[in-house]
Amino acid sequence: MVPMWTARGTGPVAPTVATPLRPVDHAAVRLSTTGWHGSWQERNRSATIPHVLDHLENGEAWTNLARLSGRSAAPFRGMVFTDSDVYKALEAVAWSCADQSDVAELSRAQALVELVAAAREDDGYVNSAVQARSDRGRWSDAQWGHELYCAGHLFQAAVAAARCGVLAELVTVGTDFADTAARELSGANEYLDGHPQVEMALVELYRVTGEQRYLELARRQLDLRGYGRLGPDRFGSQYFLDHVPPREAREATGHAVRQLYLLCGMVDVAVETGDAALLAAADRVWTDLFATKTYVTGAHGSRHRDEAIGDPYELPPDRAYAETCAAIASFQLNWRLLLATGERRFADEMEVALFNAIAVATSDTGTRFFYSNPLQVRSGHDGSNEDAPSGRLEWFTCACCPPNLARLVASLHDYLITTSATGAQIHHPFDGTAQLDLAGMPVTLELSTTYPAGGITRAAVSTGVTRDWELAVRVPAWCAATRVRVDGELLEVTPSEGYLRIVRSWHGTHELEIEFEMPVRCISAHHRVDAVRGCVALARGPVVYALEQTDVGEADIESPDIEDLELLSVGPPSADLHLPVTLAGPVRSARLYATEERAASDGTEIHASLVPYYSWGNRGPAAMRVWLPTAGSRHADHGRTP
Amino acid sequence: MVPMWTARGTGPVAPTVATPLRPVDHAAVRLSTTGWHGSWQERNRSATIPHVLDHLENGEAWTNLARLSGRSAAPFRGMVFTDSDVYKALEAVAWSCADQSDVAELSRAQALVELVAAAREDDGYVNSAVQARSDRGRWSDAQWGHELYCAGHLFQAAVAAARCGVLAELVTVGTDFADTAARELSGANEYLDGHPQVEMALVELYRVTGEQRYLELARRQLDLRGYGRLGPDRFGSQYFLDHVPPREAREATGHAVRQLYLLCGMVDVAVETGDAALLAAADRVWTDLFATKTYVTGAHGSRHRDEAIGDPYELPPDRAYAETCAAIASFQLNWRLLLATGERRFADEMEVALFNAIAVATSDTGTRFFYSNPLQVRSGHDGSNEDAPSGRLEWFTCACCPPNLARLVASLHDYLITTSATGAQIHHPFDGTAQLDLAGMPVTLELSTTYPAGGITRAAVSTGVTRDWELAVRVPAWCAATRVRVDGELLEVTPSEGYLRIVRSWHGTHELEIEFEMPVRCISAHHRVDAVRGCVALARGPVVYALEQTDVGEADIESPDIEDLELLSVGPPSADLHLPVTLAGPVRSARLYATEERAASDGTEIHASLVPYYSWGNRGPAAMRVWLPTAGSRHADHGRTP
């Protein structure tokens, strides 16, 4: 057995073949805790990860594994995939403790690794739900068993441990199980897991170990999919993404997280095997998803019943399911596609999701979470209802989201910068430093930014080598005008394929300043998005705004007072990104349906304040809305009637 | 034992105490098969009931009962409430065969009655799901067992049999079980059924038998409810309507059918016990429901996940759950409240539900059904998906709706006319005859109407008695102008409390003609109904219209062609009630979200035709929408931005 813990290196996603863009090492970027990204990562380290570990150590996730080594007498309880929550937490600790700084946390993680190790069967197989049942063997509940889903999260944790050089035993536990799975799920055994996830995990484990069998098993899962093996079930084959072979897929459909994890696996397999058709299929589904089935916050999934994506343009703000895990999966997918293609559109979607759909899921304390992330919540909710979430909760019966957030944020700095044959790319401005290696040339970037409050980013670029190379900075799709200065001197730079590209010798230390114009934008949805017809959403930079009940004084954002508000003016944001607005009101209708009635404002003004969507709900349960009705929408032209 | 089959008389709901309005006998009204109501009832008799019996006799509903008498070796399968489908079908046959005309159908029903009788335990208890399990006894799964729900449907079938003088054994089976339930569910046994239904059934059985114990058990179910006995479950206590005692309820919430059946039981108990506070509570919840949570089609329930009513003004047309059973329950509730109060608003809501939410659920063949009745279906569906219904299906895994329709339509003529101390009331115009007994005075009404195609209703009123009495005809809330003629002479009659009231001696035979003006109405929703902002629905008389893909020629009701249509003109309807419209198009947007873009028509015209909502989907799967976007809604005023 190769000692895997020597395979240190990158963060998540490290292709072994040449891709247009390359990730940097996990240790290469450090975030400043005073910046937007760094303060979140610090909150994740100091609050979210311990909170997640507390819940796992004291709940069914622990007892389900512990009973297998006789440490608990409790029966198996909860979701069949509670193991995966442990694995996600272990992955979070690995990414977070790569510098070995947090001894206490590593020690808690080590205890969990030992728990998993002790739960294993002789050949390395481990799944506490399957092992708890005497009536069912391995690989017997493809639809709902989540067996490879759990295994995949174990593999990803093992990959993080290997790359970070921590929790060595976890790497062995992961590869032992992967060896068994690769052996058993071959030949006649055509087990296909109902929840895609293992595909990307196996590719990553292949990347760390070089074991071709893992890549083969990943590809096999893709090849088995799409022929109705999983049976119809009540939600239909598309729920499991088993209605069409992945390479032939044209539409994003089914369970949102399954669809997005499947796309991640497709990209990973395509990249490692040079399968252009598979990559094209992923891109095709991506286009359908982002052109017709994505919330303005970057979230996915409009149906609660089957956690599904829904029809094209079916994007209700109130009943948005918008699962946190789907937003995380979207972020991971776009990172993969960005590396594989170098195209800006993927970095743009990462930004939208990160600053909105993902960031909203954690409270400002880091210890409360949204599972579902609606864009509108009506009044009358006390924050306790998972199905109409008006407040973040400490934990969930289905606890997939909090540990998923923990592992993503612990590796957040891995997703911001890349290198290429021509130079380095800053996709996402942040506060912190990056130590890059550009084909043997060491380069240091010291970045500071007003992002997302403002559009100014400064980079002190230092290198001792004299050689021309390109420093590229992404211009977000929302940005119409930019200014570039190097050492105080204004440069004429036109964005090329979405990036400001400055090619020069950066020998010595130079100050690059990039400014993005960042006006408030009134966003309208495509005319087929019926649910927000006649409404606008306000955004500034990457931040989508929300109107919270808390900020409209005596008025009521739902009652006739300002529901049908006319947007009179929008002011510049305050230091905490609150955005003053003047709204017209009140509007009054009486009956639920009427023939003659017209709702109209009485002309008075209401002074309110919008908050970043990601920060709503931190002041107690309150009605909220992202999409604001405009005056035009209520002056319906009823046409001529006979 | 009293021979119950002598208790012949009314149709559903027959208070034993004086109420403002009284139902007429089941045999008193006969529908003409050429009219709207009568042709539907005939289709129900000749197609729907046989179709329902076919499916029950050849499916798990039959085997689940048959195995208890050794006639089937199959294990219990399907929903735990398959018995109730049999009982609803038996009720349908009873109402349908009161005149003993259909011997074949009565014989099929008799075989089912014998099947149920043979399945019973010694004390008359019968529930095939409970009896199939050795690990659980009676009354042990209050949340999900549907034990009294099934019993209630048995009791209602027994009531119908008794009132119609058919299927005598069914009456005994019902009362035997009711006796056992009343004995066992008393004292310390505080079993509360998760699905309200039995309350109204027990009151009706009390009305037929005079057994006070049945009324007591009904009241007891109401009194036990609202204290969290049923536990929280994943959908919360309000799903079971167990979050607040019924008499204290202020809001319509939870599972739509459960809420509506509970309200029916509340009204029945209130009427029989003279409980004004309980009646007031039902009225309070009714007001909340119809003021804020009712679709323009009269449907209820906006959430698929828990079949729930949703928040106030949460009325998405596309994801409307709008279960057929909820519309039926609403019709039954409004009939109860109409009898109890005499107020027109209840008859109005019966009309809306009947001509739209209920009528849409059956195909023009009577053999295919909607379970969920959305007000918008996007393109791309082939009609096979229960979750996004674009076509009616033959049957359902959860088969509650088709037999529920069958029993309602078999007794449809019972819901049209009432009598009172002062005379007779025509609530719903129909083609047919009514033989009334007005305090000993026989009166014959021969009715013919153009309804719903037109607004003219003629009644030949015949009586041999000379005495002044009031013939009242409801003026629907949508009707702004009426004309009344008696024997050709125009009368000045102003509606009083919503009814045209003509008081005179009708001795001999006189022709009354009532005309309702019936223009096409453009209906707007309350400004808080976010999902249809900027849209109108068209209606004419009681009929709500829908635009089907089939009727827009080369255009596409979803694509940029005419999605954001401007309503240019509306013509008079054709003989088959199709309504010609001219729409503006096309409109084109490109991106899912945009800052600058405005969608606007290019000024061309599209000639299309609207169909009655109740008849959509009879020409194959097609996109459909009730709410039509207006031009105003896309010229959003984005306000001033900095």
Side-chain angles (χ1 to χ4, degrees):
Chain A
M1 174 66 66
V2 183
M4 294 307 163
W5 49 268
T6 62
R8 298 176 66 161
T10 69
V13 193
T16 66
V17 299
T19 48
L21 303 181
R22 306 288 311 166
V24 298
D25 278 0
H26 183 65
V29 175
R30 296 217 164 230
L31 301 175
S32 157
T33 56
T34 57
W36 191 90
H37 300 79
S39 65
W40 187 10
Q41 194 175 63
E42 171 55 22
R43 182 161 35 111
N44 187 63
R45 190 197 61 77
S46 63
T48 305
I49 293 178
H51 175 90
V52 165
L53 289 173
D54 286 349
H55 274 272
L56 294 176
E57 288 167 352
N58 294 295
E60 56 213 18
W62 191 87
T63 56
N64 288 344
L65 285 162
R67 58 184 295 285
L68 296 170
S69 55
R71 300 178 207 194
S72 166
F76 185 92
R77 286 177 305 176
M79 301 287 171
V80 295
F81 45 84
T82 54
D83 293 357
S84 67
D85 300 330
V86 173
Y87 303 146
K88 283 188 250 185
L90 290 175
E91 186 186 335
V93 173
W95 295 129
S96 185
C97 298
D99 59 359
Q100 310 276 349
S101 60
D102 201 328
V103 177
E105 209 131 278
L106 270 176
S107 148
R108 289 174 78 174
Q110 181 56 38
L112 287 173
V113 171
E114 283 162 21
L115 188 76
V116 176
R120 294 187 299 168
E121 299 189 348
D122 288 344
D123 61 359
Y125 177 94
V126 60
N127 181 300
S128 70
V130 172
Q131 290 170 266
R133 294 182 63 158
S134 54
D135 61 333
R136 261 189 149 154
R138 298 177 185 178
W139 323 121
S140 62
D141 182 11
Q143 271 195 347
W144 297 106
H146 288 71
E147 216 163 338
L148 281 182
Y149 169 87
C150 288
H153 279 297
L154 171 60
F155 303 160
Q156 287 189 316
V159 166
R163 289 187 179 146
C164 296
V166 296
L167 302 171
E169 189 178 4
L170 177 56
V171 186
T172 310
V173 170
T175 51
D176 284 356
F177 189 0
D179 291 341
T180 292
R183 190 175 61 249
E184 294 189 345
L185 302 181
S186 59
N189 188 336
E190 297 193 332
Y191 176 86
L192 172 67
D193 201 274
H195 199 314
Q197 197 281 347
V198 81
E199 298 82 2
M200 62 175 148
L202 282 165
V203 174
E204 283 274 273
L205 199 60
Y206 155 76
R207 287 165 173 164
V208 165
T209 63
E211 284 289 354
Q212 196 74 28
R213 293 170 296 169
Y214 304 160
L215 180 60
E216 279 309 307
L217 181 55
R219 183 157 61 183
R220 186 178 162 92
Q221 285 290 301
L222 296 182
D223 289 345
L224 289 171
R225 194 157 230 110
Y227 300 95
R229 272 187 179 75
L230 291 165
D233 193 71
R234 67 185 187 281
F235 298 143
S237 283
Q238 85 284 356
Y239 175 81
F240 304 109
L241 281 310
D242 191 29
H243 63 301
V244 64
R247 321 175 165 271
E248 296 167 24
R250 311 198 70 83
E251 292 170 4
T253 188
H255 184 277
V257 176
R258 289 169 208 242
Q259 172 67 89
L260 285 156
Y261 280 172
L262 176 62
L263 290 169
C264 288
M266 287 165 67
V267 176
D268 282 347
V269 170
V271 164
E272 290 301 329
T273 61
D275 188 336
L278 185 60
L279 188 62
D283 194 12
R284 211 160 52 216
V285 176
W286 183 97
T287 299
D288 178 62
L289 182 65
F290 285 92
T292 69
K293 299 163 180 171
T294 302
Y295 282 99
V296 71
T297 57
H300 298 288
S302 55
R303 297 184 179 180
H304 279 244
R305 178 173 171 271
D306 46 359
E307 308 188 306
I309 287 173
D311 283 343
Y313 306 107
E314 179 190 321
L315 294 165
D318 47 357
R319 291 294 286 172
Y321 193 64
E323 186 183 336
T324 300
C325 286
I328 291 169
S330 169
F331 188 79
Q332 294 171 328
L333 170 64
N334 279 296
W335 177 244
R336 283 164 163 80
L337 286 164
L338 177 64
L339 296 180
T341 67
E343 295 180 26
R344 184 192 70 172
R345 56 186 167 128
F346 303 115
D348 280 339
E349 298 299 349
M350 289 176 75
E351 176 177 290
V352 174
L354 184 68
F355 281 97
N356 301 286
I358 301 174
V360 72
T362 317
S363 67
D364 52 11
T365 60
T367 56
R368 297 178 75 89
F369 312 93
F370 281 130
Y371 185 112
S372 173
N373 298 277
L375 283 74
Q376 175 181 4
V377 173
R378 293 186 173 82
S379 59
H381 296 280
D382 63 3
S384 66
N385 186 344
E386 279 188 36
D387 192 40
S390 56
R392 297 175 185 84
L393 303 181
E394 274 195 13
W395 202 248
F396 299 87
T397 314
C398 176
C400 53
C401 296
N404 214 358
L405 275 165
R407 71 181 182 131
L408 178 78
V409 181
S411 56
L412 188 56
H413 59 281
D414 294 317
Y415 294 94
L416 308 176
I417 281 190
T418 56
T419 62
S420 70
T422 56
Q425 300 78 35
I426 302 173
H427 304 285
H428 306 285
F430 62 95
D431 287 275
T433 59
Q435 302 284 352
L436 306 180
D437 177 347
L438 301 182
M441 172 174 59
V443 171
T444 301
L445 301 179
E446 289 190 32
L447 291 168
S448 67
T449 182
T450 57
Y451 219 68
I456 298 172
T457 301
R458 293 191 182 86
V461 187
S462 309
T463 178
V465 181
T466 306
R467 187 204 303 167
D468 276 6
W469 57 280
E470 176 188 289
L471 182 56
V473 180
R474 180 180 60 98
V475 181
W478 51 259
C479 178
T482 59
R483 267 180 295 280
V484 179
R485 283 188 179 82
V486 174
D487 297 330
E489 181 190 348
L490 206 58
L491 296 190
E492 279 293 322
V493 185
T494 309
S496 161
E497 295 179 332
Y499 287 76
L500 295 167
R501 300 174 189 275
I502 301 125
V503 181
R504 53 177 287 167
S505 166
W506 295 87
H507 181 262
T509 296
H510 300 277
E511 166 119 338
L512 169 68
E513 183 185 286
I514 303 277
E515 186 175 353
F516 299 150
E517 271 197 15
M518 206 182 256
V520 174
R521 308 191 304 284
C522 273
I523 298 173
S524 298
H526 189 281
H527 67 281
R528 285 178 65 181
V529 184
D530 297 290
V532 298
R533 193 178 303 282
C535 294
V536 295
L538 298 193
R540 186 171 169 280
V543 174
V544 172
Y545 276 86
L547 182 60
E548 257 191 297
Q549 178 56 52
T550 318
D551 298 307
V552 292
E554 296 298 302
D556 181 339
I557 71 167
E558 282 207 296
S559 85
D561 285 325
I562 64 161
E563 165 87 354
D564 253 318
L565 73 185
E566 181 170 11
L567 210 57
L568 294 176
S569 68
V570 179
S574 65
D576 60 356
L577 296 197
H578 287 218
L579 197 61
V581 286
T582 308
L583 310 164
V587 166
R588 299 193 191 280
S589 308
R591 295 172 52 197
L592 185 51
Y593 303 108
T595 307
E596 298 299 326
E597 206 167 349
R598 294 285 189 287
S601 165
D602 71 357
T604 60
E605 290 190 353
I606 291 161
H607 299 282
S609 173
L610 299 173
V611 298
Y613 171 69
Y614 67 72
S615 74
W616 89 272
N618 278 311
R619 295 169 293 176
M624 176 278 295
R625 61 188 312 153
V626 167
W627 289 99
L628 310 177
T630 58
S633 64
R634 56 192 147 77
H635 298 301
D637 175 1
H638 284 196
R640 283 172 277 131
T641 59
Chain B
M1 172 65 64
V2 182
M4 295 308 166
W5 47 269
T6 63
R8 297 179 67 162
T10 69
V13 192
T16 66
V17 299
T19 47
L21 302 181
R22 305 288 311 167
V24 297
D25 277 0
H26 184 64
V29 176
R30 295 218 166 228
L31 301 176
S32 159
T33 56
T34 57
W36 192 89
H37 299 80
S39 65
W40 187 10
Q41 194 174 64
E42 171 55 23
R43 183 161 34 111
N44 188 62
R45 191 196 62 75
S46 63
T48 305
I49 293 177
H51 176 89
V52 165
L53 289 173
D54 286 349
H55 274 274
L56 294 176
E57 289 166 352
N58 295 294
E60 57 211 18
W62 191 87
T63 55
N64 288 344
L65 284 163
R67 59 184 296 284
L68 295 170
S69 56
R71 300 178 208 194
S72 167
F76 185 92
R77 286 176 306 177
M79 301 285 172
V80 294
F81 46 84
T82 54
D83 293 357
S84 67
D85 300 331
V86 173
Y87 302 146
K88 283 188 251 185
L90 290 174
E91 185 186 336
V93 174
W95 295 129
S96 185
C97 298
D99 60 0
Q100 312 276 350
S101 60
D102 200 329
V103 177
E105 208 132 275
L106 270 176
S107 148
R108 290 174 80 175
Q110 181 56 37
L112 287 174
V113 171
E114 283 162 22
L115 189 77
V116 175
R120 295 187 298 168
E121 299 189 346
D122 289 345
D123 60 358
Y125 177 93
V126 59
N127 182 300
S128 70
V130 172
Q131 290 169 266
R133 293 181 63 156
S134 55
D135 60 333
R136 260 187 150 155
R138 297 177 186 177
W139 323 120
S140 62
D141 182 11
Q143 271 195 347
W144 296 105
H146 288 71
E147 217 164 339
L148 282 181
Y149 169 88
C150 288
H153 279 297
L154 172 60
F155 302 160
Q156 287 190 316
V159 166
R163 289 189 178 143
C164 296
V166 296
L167 302 171
E169 189 179 3
L170 178 56
V171 186
T172 310
V173 170
T175 51
D176 284 356
F177 189 0
D179 291 341
T180 292
R183 190 175 60 250
E184 293 188 347
L185 302 181
S186 60
N189 188 335
E190 298 192 332
Y191 176 85
L192 170 67
D193 201 273
H195 198 315
Q197 196 283 347
V198 80
E199 299 82 1
M200 62 175 148
L202 282 165
V203 174
E204 282 275 274
L205 198 60
Y206 156 76
R207 285 165 174 165
V208 166
T209 63
E211 285 289 356
Q212 195 73 29
R213 293 169 296 171
Y214 304 160
L215 181 59
E216 278 309 308
L217 181 55
R219 183 157 59 183
R220 186 178 163 93
Q221 285 290 302
L222 296 182
D223 290 345
L224 289 172
R225 193 156 229 108
Y227 300 96
R229 272 188 180 74
L230 291 165
D233 193 70
R234 67 185 185 281
F235 297 144
S237 282
Q238 84 284 356
Y239 174 82
F240 303 109
L241 281 311
D242 191 29
H243 62 301
V244 64
R247 340 181 145 262
E248 296 167 25
R250 312 197 70 84
E251 292 171 6
T253 187
H255 184 277
V257 177
R258 290 169 207 243
Q259 171 68 87
L260 285 156
Y261 281 171
L262 177 62
L263 289 169
C264 288
M266 287 166 66
V267 176
D268 282 348
V269 170
V271 164
E272 291 300 329
T273 61
D275 189 336
L278 186 59
L279 188 62
D283 193 14
R284 209 159 54 215
V285 175
W286 183 97
T287 299
D288 178 62
L289 182 64
F290 284 92
T292 69
K293 298 163 182 172
T294 302
Y295 282 99
V296 71
T297 57
H300 297 288
S302 56
R303 296 183 180 180
H304 278 244
R305 179 172 170 270
D306 45 358
E307 308 187 306
I309 288 173
D311 283 344
Y313 306 106
E314 179 189 320
L315 294 164
D318 48 355
R319 290 296 285 172
Y321 193 64
E323 187 183 336
T324 300
C325 286
I328 292 170
S330 170
F331 189 78
Q332 294 170 325
L333 169 65
N334 279 296
W335 176 245
R336 284 165 163 79
L337 286 164
L338 178 64
L339 296 180
T341 66
E343 295 179 26
R344 182 191 72 170
R345 58 186 166 130
F346 303 116
D348 280 338
E349 297 298 350
M350 289 176 76
E351 177 176 290
V352 174
L354 184 67
F355 281 96
N356 301 287
I358 301 175
V360 72
T362 316
S363 68
D364 52 11
T365 61
T367 55
R368 298 179 73 90
F369 312 92
F370 281 129
Y371 185 112
S372 174
N373 297 277
L375 284 74
Q376 175 181 4
V377 173
R378 292 187 174 82
S379 60
H381 296 281
D382 63 2
S384 66
N385 186 345
E386 281 189 34
D387 192 41
S390 56
R392 296 175 186 84
L393 303 181
E394 277 196 9
W395 203 247
F396 299 87
T397 314
C398 176
C400 52
C401 297
N404 213 359
L405 276 164
R407 70 181 184 130
L408 178 78
V409 181
S411 57
L412 188 57
H413 58 281
D414 294 317
Y415 294 95
L416 309 175
I417 282 192
T418 56
T419 62
S420 71
T422 55
Q425 299 79 38
I426 302 173
H427 302 287
H428 305 287
F430 62 94
D431 287 276
T433 59
Q435 302 284 352
L436 307 179
D437 177 348
L438 301 182
M441 173 174 58
V443 171
T444 301
L445 301 179
E446 289 191 30
L447 291 167
S448 67
T449 183
T450 56
Y451 220 68
I456 298 173
T457 302
R458 294 192 181 84
V461 187
S462 308
T463 179
V465 180
T466 306
R467 189 205 298 168
D468 276 7
W469 57 278
E470 175 187 289
L471 182 56
V473 180
R474 181 180 61 98
V475 181
W478 51 260
C479 178
T482 59
R483 267 179 297 280
V484 179
R485 284 188 178 80
V486 174
D487 297 331
E489 182 189 347
L490 207 60
L491 295 190
E492 280 292 323
V493 185
T494 308
S496 160
E497 293 180 333
Y499 286 77
L500 295 168
R501 301 173 190 275
I502 302 126
V503 181
R504 54 177 287 167
S505 165
W506 294 87
H507 181 263
T509 296
H510 300 277
E511 166 117 340
L512 170 68
E513 183 185 286
I514 303 277
E515 186 177 353
F516 299 150
E517 271 197 14
M518 205 182 257
V520 174
R521 309 190 304 286
C522 274
I523 299 173
S524 298
H526 188 283
H527 68 280
R528 284 177 65 181
V529 184
D530 297 290
V532 297
R533 191 178 304 283
C535 293
V536 295
L538 298 193
R540 186 171 168 279
V543 174
V544 172
Y545 276 86
L547 182 60
E548 256 190 300
Q549 179 55 53
T550 318
D551 298 307
V552 292
E554 296 298 301
D556 181 339
I557 71 168
E558 283 205 295
S559 85
D561 285 325
I562 65 162
E563 165 88 352
D564 254 318
L565 72 188
E566 180 170 11
L567 209 57
L568 292 176
S569 68
V570 179
S574 65
D576 61 355
L577 297 196
H578 287 217
L579 198 61
V581 287
T582 307
L583 311 164
V587 166
R588 300 193 190 280
S589 307
R591 294 172 53 197
L592 185 52
Y593 303 106
T595 307
E596 296 301 325
E597 206 168 348
R598 294 287 189 286
S601 166
D602 69 359
T604 59
E605 290 191 353
I606 291 160
H607 300 279
S609 171
L610 299 173
V611 299
Y613 171 69
Y614 67 72
S615 74
W616 89 273
N618 279 312
R619 296 170 292 175
M624 177 278 296
R625 61 189 313 153
V626 167
W627 290 99
L628 309 177
T630 57
S633 64
R634 56 192 147 76
H635 299 301
D637 175 2
H638 284 193
R640 282 171 278 130
T641 59

